[in-house]
Amino acid sequence: MNILASKPTSMLLSNGVERRSSKRFKVRAFSEEQEALVVKSWNAMKKKNPGELGLKFFLRIFEIAPSAKKLFKFLKDSDVPVEQNPQLKPHAMTVFVMTCESAVQLRKAGKATVRESTLKDLGASHLKYGVVDEHFEVTKYALLETIKEAVPEMWSPEMKNAWAEAYDQLVAAIKNEMKPSD
């Protein structure tokens, strides 16, 4: 599967710095080596606390892009601090585990797939809540940083590239389903 994307993006980070990117990315076949790195690191992360890793992942997203909290109905009207919101941890764990499981099976399936939901449902919900390219970029960065922190002894440029490739393929599949319903 080859998907080319090229779109200049601009993102205002929480520190007030605007990050611009106009790079092209190419989603390629997921190699055996990439699969091995993803599987090995995911197996190590599963032995830790996936709920806590998911929460760290989402808190990192909100640290980078505080406005992303507005995308979550259960956070919008909450008086509770984000990290104590009772709905955040289960949601964060579901998303983190789904993303990691999608990466693990990518080579065998030959495409991004998800178990808990369908790509069509994910596309529809991301469209409904106004998710845009910049949100996917922030999420990718937060995911890679969370994995790096979770398995620092395994982290390498190759592992970073493997997870980035798997994430890019999942995002491409979700974006493909982000169509207004007729």
Side-chain angles (χ1 to χ4, degrees):
M1 171 199 283
N2 281 336
I3 297 172
L4 289 176
S6 178
K7 183 178 180 186
T9 59
S10 173
M11 176 181 8
L12 188 61
L13 302 177
S14 60
N15 62 4
V17 174
E18 184 173 55
R19 196 177 94 189
R20 293 186 177 275
S21 170
S22 60
K23 61 185 171 187
R24 293 174 69 91
F25 67 88
K26 184 176 181 180
V27 180
R28 300 173 304 271
F30 203 60
S31 74
E32 205 171 315
E33 293 78 18
Q34 288 173 312
E35 177 187 47
L37 290 167
V38 166
V39 168
K40 181 180 177 184
S41 55
W42 177 230
N43 284 339
M45 286 187 281
K46 283 193 292 190
K47 291 176 185 169
K48 300 183 180 195
N49 185 334
E52 285 303 314
L53 291 174
L55 185 59
K56 283 181 182 183
F57 168 48
F58 267 72
L59 292 176
R60 181 156 286 131
I61 291 169
F62 300 144
E63 179 185 311
I64 298 164
S67 63
K69 291 178 217 162
K70 295 177 193 162
L71 298 171
F72 298 89
K73 186 177 173 185
F74 60 85
L75 293 177
K76 268 193 229 179
D77 305 318
S78 178
D79 297 333
V80 180
V82 175
E83 63 277 358
Q84 293 173 14
N85 185 296
Q87 291 176 286
L88 179 60
K89 189 173 180 177
H91 178 76
M93 184 174 89
T94 299
V95 172
F96 185 72
V97 170
M98 181 223 35
T99 301
C100 293
E101 290 290 338
S102 176
V104 165
Q105 62 70 45
L106 186 58
R107 189 163 182 278
K108 285 182 188 126
K111 63 181 181 180
T113 60
V114 292
R115 287 189 192 158
E116 300 300 315
S117 182
T118 67
L119 287 167
K120 188 174 185 126
D121 291 340
L122 286 171
S125 65
H126 282 76
L127 180 68
K128 175 182 173 185
Y129 292 111
V131 176
V132 295
D133 288 347
E134 290 81 4
H135 297 128
F136 287 115
E137 286 301 312
V138 166
T139 302
K140 178 179 178 177
Y141 178 80
L143 176 70
L144 295 174
E145 288 297 307
T146 302
I147 295 168
K148 177 182 177 181
E149 187 179 295
V151 290
E153 69 286 354
M154 293 181 192
W155 193 251
S156 67
E158 295 79 15
M159 182 173 286
K160 178 181 179 180
N161 291 338
W163 278 103
E165 180 68 32
Y167 178 81
D168 287 345
Q169 289 199 31
L170 177 59
V171 167
I174 291 170
K175 285 181 179 180
N176 193 46
E177 297 297 336
M178 287 177 70
K179 305 171 205 144
S181 56
D182 298 325

